[in-house]
Amino acid sequence: MSGLPSGWCETELGALIEHIQAGLNLKCEERPPRDGEKGLVKISAVTWGRFDEDQSKTLPSDATAAETARIVPGDLLISRANTIELVGATVIVEDVTRALYLSDKVLRLVVPEESKRWINYALKTAEARKAIQDASSGNQLSMRNISQENLRRVTIPLAPLPEQKRIADKLDSVLARVDACRNRLDRIPALLKRFRQSVLAAATDGRLTQDWRRSEGLSEVAAYPRVRLSFVATSRLGKMLDKAKNSGDLVPYLRNVNVRWYSFDLGDVQLMRVEPWEMSDLFVREGDVLVCEGGEPGRCAIWRSGDHRFVFQKALHRVRPDTTRLHPEWLVHSLKFAAENKVLDVLFTGTTIKHLTGVALANFTIPLPSIQEQHEIVRRVETLFAFADRLEARCAAARKQAGQLTPALLAKAFRGELVPQ
């Protein structure tokens, strides 16, 4: 590391460590300990920047754990084993309410109290993370280990003690604000999910277009009439895929995995052989709704890819609405609302693997306002969903930027640029 501020130096971590303490390696019950029980911490307890005592497991009642290995507030802990990205993760324990002890994979670094926060932050910098990763060993990236000897050899910058305190104080302050920002941003996707659910709820019970009905001079409705899907659409399953028996021309076909909610993923489209006489009955055309028979039964999307010659496999239902009575988008919204509220579950067959049979789908009852009101509902739902999509995209961009703040602030701090020199 070059270009350190005046008065700083580089030092091996071992020069600052007074002692490294490891814990037990015992078979435990995979749950956090309860009152009166003792537990060992998992590596996940120290992985994400804050100590998480829920990430622990319960020691057998007859196991003996030395009190010197008990975790207490103020401990500087480090994981000696984890994935390549997370091996060597550190935390300072702020609070612990359970009787938790060190494990063989979570070590305690005993260092001078006045340098503890400095060392914790220094080990999170990009340079220290790379040094730890390079010094770790293991045949797989999914589980790497760093020995105590190699850990001691990791070099970090060292500022004079007063400056260590000023920089650590500043990092405590600004990173707490970054964490608060990230926590707020992390709550937004769940809020947007609830927003979309509330939109669909209002759409299916008539509240979303209540003002529209008044403006059109229509009477209020207590609830939309419900009809079986077979009354307003035709449906059928696709072709059985049997490479040994299928014959005819090779054509692209849609599978269960190609259908997402409201859209298609055509990044992995495969081919099957279809006889010419089967083609007309198996082609998917504009406005058809493809519904998953298994996997996530009921998941569906509207085919909007024009005249591309696609057929569909038996894992999918092709629903072709009578568009004079049923808007395809209204069908998809109704199925989505029914799926999220477990209404579809009563139609499934199977125990471990659920299926939505053709008969069950045909008997699905759909709320059916007039076709004019369906068009207005779809327009409003699309407007509100587009708003949510834009907000979700902005949130994702903000979360990405927030994720870059911590390493940027650490880099600035250990260049001596975070506080005046």
Side-chain angles (χ1 to χ4, degrees):
M1 188 178 296
S2 60
L4 291 175
S6 176
W8 292 32
C9 65
E10 287 184 356
T11 184
E12 287 189 346
L13 190 59
L16 301 173
I17 292 176
E18 299 170 2
H19 178 57
I20 299 179
Q21 187 175 3
L24 299 171
N25 179 15
L26 289 176
K27 185 174 179 59
C28 296
E29 190 175 346
E30 290 294 331
R31 61 170 178 82
R34 294 188 276 264
D35 291 344
E37 296 177 324
K38 298 178 179 179
L40 296 185
V41 287
K42 301 178 181 179
I43 55 176
S44 50
V46 300
T47 294
W48 306 112
R50 284 188 178 274
F51 181 68
D52 184 355
E53 66 176 354
D54 290 333
Q55 295 300 312
S56 54
K57 48 191 178 180
T58 301
L59 279 166
S61 57
D62 58 351
T64 302
E67 281 303 301
T68 54
R70 182 164 177 167
I71 294 170
V72 296
D75 279 347
L76 174 57
L77 305 182
I78 186 169
S79 62
R80 72 159 183 85
N82 210 321
T83 64
I84 186 68
E85 296 85 6
L86 298 172
V87 63
T90 62
V91 295
I92 294 177
V93 179
E94 294 180 1
D95 189 29
V96 57
T97 62
R98 294 186 173 98
L100 298 180
Y101 296 79
L102 300 171
S103 68
D104 64 322
K105 291 184 173 64
V106 177
L107 312 175
R108 177 192 286 136
L109 302 184
V110 181
V111 299
E113 186 65 31
E114 61 270 19
S115 292
K116 186 181 293 181
R117 289 184 300 154
W118 176 268
I119 293 169
N120 179 45
Y121 283 131
L123 290 175
K124 298 179 187 297
T125 61
E127 292 82 2
R129 293 294 313 138
K130 185 177 187 306
I132 290 171
Q133 291 172 9
D134 291 346
S136 66
S137 60
N139 295 326
Q140 295 181 343
L141 297 180
S142 59
M143 184 51 69
R144 303 284 286 192
N145 295 272
I146 184 165
S147 66
Q148 293 188 25
E149 181 181 0
N150 285 342
L151 185 61
R152 290 176 183 273
R153 290 177 181 157
V154 173
T155 61
I156 62 171
L158 191 66
L161 282 176
E163 195 158 355
Q164 288 183 32
K165 182 180 184 305
R166 287 194 302 125
I167 292 173
D169 286 345
K170 187 68 172 178
L171 284 171
D172 285 348
S173 173
V174 295
L175 292 181
R177 289 158 62 190
V178 171
D179 287 344
C181 173
R182 281 211 306 254
N183 289 338
R184 291 190 183 98
L185 290 171
D186 287 344
R187 290 198 292 268
I188 291 176
L191 292 174
L192 289 175
K193 181 178 180 179
R194 290 202 295 273
F195 170 74
R196 292 187 178 99
Q197 289 172 337
S198 68
V199 168
L200 291 180
T204 53
D205 67 14
R207 286 175 292 141
L208 190 62
T209 45
Q210 195 171 42
D211 62 324
W212 177 86
R213 287 194 300 276
R214 291 197 195 102
S215 68
E216 294 292 313
L218 300 174
S219 59
E220 282 302 314
V221 292
Y224 293 136
R226 302 187 71 92
V227 301
R228 286 202 295 269
L229 184 60
S230 59
F231 289 177
V232 287
T234 60
S235 65
R236 61 154 293 171
L237 287 167
K239 181 179 175 65
M240 175 73 76
L241 177 64
D242 187 337
K243 293 182 179 179
K245 296 181 179 179
N246 290 163
S247 60
D249 299 329
L250 283 171
V251 295
Y253 74 98
L254 298 170
R255 298 173 292 151
N256 184 296
V257 295
N258 298 127
V259 180
R260 317 315 304 162
W261 277 112
Y262 295 108
S263 65
F264 290 87
D265 179 1
L266 302 180
D268 181 27
V269 174
Q270 299 185 11
L271 302 175
M272 80 156 73
R273 292 194 177 277
V274 179
E275 293 286 358
W277 56 268
E278 298 178 289
M279 293 286 195
S280 60
D281 200 33
L282 287 172
F283 274 142
V284 182
R285 73 186 188 196
E286 185 88 7
D288 284 346
V289 179
L290 279 299
V291 182
C292 293
E293 185 270 347
E296 185 186 351
R299 189 177 67 227
C300 58
I302 302 170
W303 186 251
R304 298 294 192 194
S305 295
D307 296 329
H308 296 297
R309 295 165 64 82
F310 278 81
V311 297
F312 59 108
Q313 193 188 0
K314 195 173 181 179
L316 293 174
H317 300 276
R318 184 194 63 199
V319 180
R320 189 162 284 170
D322 174 357
T323 54
T324 64
R325 293 187 292 167
L326 177 62
H327 195 300
E329 292 278 1
W330 175 245
L331 171 58
V332 174
H333 292 322
S334 299
L335 284 169
K336 177 67 169 174
F337 181 75
E340 289 185 342
N341 290 276
K342 309 299 182 184
V343 175
L344 278 183
D345 289 10
V346 298
L347 300 177
F348 298 158
T349 60
T351 51
T352 55
I353 301 177
K354 304 294 185 183
H355 294 276
L356 179 62
T357 67
V359 171
L361 181 61
N363 286 328
F364 170 66
T365 60
I366 183 171
L368 199 70
S370 69
I371 191 65
Q372 294 81 8
E373 187 166 356
Q374 289 179 45
H375 279 276
E376 181 62 19
I377 293 170
V378 167
R379 186 189 68 79
R380 295 187 179 200
V381 169
E382 287 179 347
T383 299
L384 292 168
F385 276 19
F387 166 77
D389 291 343
R390 290 194 299 273
L391 188 56
E392 198 164 50
R394 291 174 62 185
C395 174
R399 290 168 80 186
K400 182 178 179 180
Q401 290 175 332
Q404 295 167 344
L405 281 174
T406 296
L409 287 165
L410 287 171
K412 191 171 184 178
F414 287 90
R415 290 195 304 267
E417 299 171 359
L418 192 63
V419 298
Q421 298 297 302

